[in-house]
Amino acid sequence: MLQAKYQVSQRRACRVLAQPRSTQRYEGHPKDEDERLTKRIMEQVRRRPRWGYRRIGQLLRREGDSLNMKRMYRLWEIGRAESTKETQEKAKSRPSGERLSSEASQPTE
């Protein structure tokens, strides 16, 4: 941005900002792979609800996906958080029958 605006070299712009050039050149990796793996993990969880993240990770590695234990656990937590959020939204949308019946049986003053 500074290079184009002030017509200076990358070295000079980074020196002025006290920023390493490696930071300037960094390109982030797309997260499509993480989304695909999270869907696969949750699919396996629905098929095998008693299996934990270690066993499902082992199964995915056998099928050819490359993921280590830290990445597997991070994706596992993301998937759990998303499924919990969906469950909570469903629970909020409909009132329970007990609450309605208990409110109707209370005398009004």
Side-chain angles (χ1 to χ4, degrees):
M1 186 166 98
L2 286 176
Q3 291 174 267
K5 186 174 181 180
Y6 294 107
Q7 297 178 351
V8 294
S9 68
Q10 186 183 49
R11 284 181 189 215
R12 183 162 293 194
C14 288
R15 192 179 322 138
V16 167
L17 296 174
Q19 176 185 27
R21 282 187 293 151
S22 59
T23 304
Q24 185 66 29
R25 294 177 179 169
Y26 179 78
E27 294 180 13
H29 300 290
K31 299 292 183 180
D32 297 336
E33 180 71 14
D34 285 355
E35 290 177 20
R36 184 187 67 79
L37 281 172
T38 304
K39 287 179 184 175
R40 296 256 338 260
I41 289 168
M42 296 317 293
E43 176 184 305
Q44 294 298 329
V45 167
R46 282 189 281 281
R47 272 197 219 154
R48 299 171 176 94
R50 294 181 60 106
W51 283 19
Y53 76 95
R54 291 180 180 168
R55 198 161 176 190
I56 290 178
Q58 187 178 30
L59 177 78
L60 293 176
R61 279 189 292 280
R62 285 182 185 162
E63 292 177 357
D65 289 317
S66 62
L67 70 159
N68 61 13
M69 293 302 285
K70 289 180 182 180
R71 184 176 182 200
M72 175 63 199
Y73 188 74
R74 179 176 55 83
L75 296 175
W76 176 269
E77 289 293 317
I78 290 170
R80 260 188 16 178
E82 289 174 0
S83 66
T84 305
K85 191 185 307 179
E86 291 171 3
T87 307
Q88 288 175 350
E89 287 174 3
K90 287 180 185 177
K92 286 181 183 177
S93 64
R94 53 189 143 128
S96 66
E98 289 181 28
R99 187 173 55 196
L100 293 176
S101 62
S102 65
E103 289 174 0
S105 62
Q106 294 177 351
T108 57
E109 292 181 26

